[in-house]
Amino acid sequence: MKRSRRLLNRVPNSKTLTLKAADELEGKPPARRPKSIRRKPQPSPKILSLPPPLSNPPGKMTILPPEFFRIDSLDLAQRLLGKFLRRDDVILQITEVEAYRPNDSACHGRFGITPRTAPVFGPGGHAYVYLCYGLHTMLNVVADKEGVGAAVLIRACAPVSGLDTIQRRRGQKTEKPVLLTGPGKISQALGISTEWSNHPLYCAGGLEILDGPDPEKILVGPRVGIEYALPEHVNALWRFAIAGTAWISAPKNTLRLL
């Protein structure tokens, strides 16, 4: 120990000398540092594409009354998020919608009452189902009072019950969001056609809308595919979705928290 001190005193700036250097001056092999323990990377948790199970069994779910739907379509759109569509063994949870209002240049009501659009002017709570581009069947929920001409388009859902039936109708054996993210896919999964237009969604049997939990947070953005409309309607933030779910259609980058 005395020798080590004498050696250190002979070296300039000895205060900055490390123990390793002192050992080398004494002819000792440098002390080995303990090897760092390499930890194996932990696998990231698996993200399930399907929503969590319902707190209430399907048999005890409540059909929403007509009064629920007879409000402004902008309000109804947000209230429909988290609610359930049921037909036979298929139950879907509504995750994304768009509101279409009176005097809206993107709403079918702008054409007035025709054989096709007549259900839009009916009482709130009825279905308005139409064929888009001759290919996709689109399900809408009529809003407001009779004669107003407003509706809410169902853009995306998450499967809750009847997955096998949904996959068979869709022709896709998948549990990923692509199964039900897009308005045409919803009608296909439910097995409905334009013949369901004007169907009351508050009556038991057939196609029903059931009560469900309100989302904690909502995303909002402009509607999709309405470039033909007036600028104020193209840019209107009348598209709504449940925040935090993967079951939302494209584009997602136009959505933000409400």
Side-chain angles (χ1 to χ4, degrees), residues 11 23 98 102-103 206 226:
V11 180
D23 288 339
E98 287 179 347
N103 303 317
I226 58 165

Side-chain angles (χ1 to χ4, degrees), residues 51-222:
L54 293 175
S55 56
N56 296 322
K60 295 183 179 180
M61 298 169 74
T62 306
I63 299 175
L64 292 170
E67 295 75 23
F68 177 88
F69 306 95
R70 289 168 190 176
I71 57 176
D72 189 289
S73 60
L74 203 58
D75 297 322
L76 179 61
Q78 298 173 65
R79 292 186 67 186
L80 282 172
L81 292 175
K83 304 304 183 281
F84 300 97
L85 286 161
R86 178 170 67 184
R87 186 189 173 213
D88 301 327
D89 65 323
V90 172
I91 299 178
L92 310 179
Q93 186 171 38
I94 301 171
T95 55
E96 182 188 353
V97 295
E98 287 179 347
Y100 290 84
R101 309 181 76 191
N103 303 317
D104 176 2
S105 58
C107 180
H108 285 188
R110 71 187 187 278
F111 299 119
I113 299 176
T114 68
R116 180 199 191 196
T117 65
V120 180
F121 292 90
H126 285 234
Y128 170 50
V129 187
Y130 68 91
L131 200 60
C132 181
Y133 302 121
L135 297 172
H136 308 295
T137 304
M138 316 287 264
L139 172 62
N140 297 257
V141 179
V142 177
D144 224 312
K145 300 175 183 177
E146 187 170 2
V148 171
V152 175
L153 172 67
I154 309 298
R155 281 199 60 85
C157 291
V160 175
S161 178
L163 183 61
D164 290 340
T165 303
I166 295 168
Q167 291 173 334
R168 176 174 50 80
R169 287 172 175 168
R170 289 278 297 112
Q172 283 187 309
K173 196 70 175 179
T174 181
E175 296 180 0
K176 295 182 179 180
V178 68
L179 187 66
L180 289 170
T181 50
K185 300 175 182 179
I186 306 305
S187 298
Q188 196 175 19
L190 292 168
I192 63 173
S193 65
T194 54
E195 294 180 359
W196 286 82
S197 201
N198 207 34
H199 174 80
L201 300 168
Y202 46 79
C203 293
L207 182 62
E208 311 155 345
I209 295 186
L210 313 171
D211 198 8
D214 295 328
E216 293 182 4
K217 295 181 180 180
I218 294 177
L219 299 174
V220 63

